């Protein structure tokens, strides 16, 4: 099936990246959020990120102008329903995602494919709340979307081959690589990555190291480009906690219990880079460890 237009629901850090790469690949994009501010910030962010690509000769100024002209924003769900493929990239909360799909259903077309960028929530469960579980998939981009090559494609129990093949073609057109994952909590990347981040939180909580020593140890000792706490701030501590809770609930194993310190940071509203404070404080010129 040929996809020409893509609706992106949620214009946060992932939604703006998804709109960015889809528009550059030639798809008409409708970006939707509940907050007008998020939409304006997303368009400004996409413009800035594409400008950086122009300055590095990765894309031409004409390609940028054409891509920017393909992105429309809207607060209205019926408008998003007119697209061929919808990528839901709203807050990592199952109830929010149910409400989004419920609101979209009366407006989507018979051929529309529904996908979610969820990091951890069951695709089969999300799909079962729609009228088309066979046309529903997990389409999981990595952060930052324009730079990261991987997309995890997750089939729900009912996802049909046409839907999978159509999404695989889109991944190729985006010049990215797909990894197929089965629909179990947190799929592949986050099943491995987020418990490591949670363990780094325990290492901090128990006083084995401080923020700087833990991040330096993993950068220099395990050759990771970012330390786990720096990465947690980048992902969003609320998202990390939500994924740990999905692993804990979904696999019923105490080894996935979220670190109380991670919970405390989230309760404080210290969510990482997006709120200017997490394991580091980003309000000044350079990030300062908070512990
Ligand atoms: N942050 C990461 O590194 C990362 C990586 C891969 C996947 N994800 C997944 O992507 C999704 C979004 O994460 P994010 O980091 O972009 O979050 P974010 O907090 O940056 O953005 C979420 C956006 O969703 C919007 N939103 C909330 N309710 C909505 C609704 N009913 N309709 C439309 N928009 C709504 C919010 O206003 C906000 O702009 C989550 O499912 C997350 O698990 C995140």
């Amino acid at each position: 099936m040929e996809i020409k237009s893509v609706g992106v629901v949620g214009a946060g850090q992932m939604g703006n990246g998804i709109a960015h790469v889809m528009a550059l690949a030639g798809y008409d994009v409708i970006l939707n959020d509940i907050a007008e501010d998020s939409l304006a910030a997303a368009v400004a962010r996409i413009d800035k990120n594409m400008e950086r690509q122009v300055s590095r000769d990765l894309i031409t100024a004409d390609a940028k102008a054409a891509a920017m002209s393909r992105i429309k924003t809207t607060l209205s769900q019926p408008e998003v329903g007119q697209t061929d493929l919808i990528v839901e990239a709203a807050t990592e909360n199952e109830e929010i995602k149910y409400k989004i799909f419920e609101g979209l259903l009366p407006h989507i077309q018979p051929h529309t494919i529904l996908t979610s960028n969820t990091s951890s929530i069951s695709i089969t469960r999300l799909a079962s709340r729609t009228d088309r579980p066979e046309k529903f998939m997990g389409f999981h981009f990595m952060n930052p979307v324009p730079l990261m090559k991987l997309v995890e494609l997750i089939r729900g129990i009912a996802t049909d081959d046409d839907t999978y093949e159509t999404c695989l073609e889109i991944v190729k057109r985006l010049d990215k690589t797909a990894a197929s994952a089965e629909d179990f909590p947190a799929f592949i990347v986050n099943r491995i990555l987020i418990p490591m981040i949670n363990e780094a939180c325990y290492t901090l909580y128990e006083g084995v190291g401080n923020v700087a020593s833990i991040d330096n140890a993993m950068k220099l000792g395990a050759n990771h480009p970012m330390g786990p706490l720096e990465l947690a701030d980048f992902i969003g501590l609320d998202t990390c906690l939500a994924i740990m809770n999905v692993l804990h609930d979904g696999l019923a194993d105490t080894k996935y219990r979220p670190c109380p310190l991670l919970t405390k940071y989230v309760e404080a509203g210290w969510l990482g880079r997006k709120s200017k404070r997490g394991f580091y404080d980003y309000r000044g010129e350079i990030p300062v460890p908070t512990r």
Side-chain angles (χ1 to χ4, degrees), residues 12-14 33 89-90 92 97 117 119 140-141 143 235 274:
Q13 43 182 359
M14 295 305 291
D33 204 287
E92 187 73 345
K97 292 185 191 293
N117 183 50
S119 303
H140 183 220
F141 288 87
N143 186 16
I235 294 169
K274 64 184 170 188

Side-chain angles (χ1 to χ4, degrees), residues 197-211 214 229 257-265 279 291:
I197 286 175
N198 192 52
E199 201 59 32
C201 299
Y202 270 112
T203 313
L204 180 66
Y205 176 60
E206 291 167 9
V208 182
N210 60 29
V211 170
I214 291 167
L229 299 172
R257 64 198 189 284
C259 175
L261 187 62
L262 177 62
T263 306
K264 196 195 271 194
Y265 271 63
F279 290 114
R291 260 165 201 264

Side-chain angles (χ1 to χ4, degrees), residues 91-106:
T91 313
E92 187 73 345
N93 173 304
E94 199 157 333
E95 287 305 315
I96 291 179
K97 292 185 191 293
Y98 285 150
K99 287 216 176 82
I100 288 171
F101 287 116
E102 202 178 286
L104 282 170
L105 284 184

Side-chain angles (χ1 to χ4, degrees), residues 51-72:
E51 195 51 47
R52 192 178 305 130
Q53 289 177 301
V54 172
S55 70
R56 291 182 186 164
D57 285 334
L58 296 171
I59 60 170
T60 63
D62 285 352
K64 177 196 162 191
M68 288 304 296
S69 74
R70 280 186 212 111
I71 301 174
K72 307 264 175 296

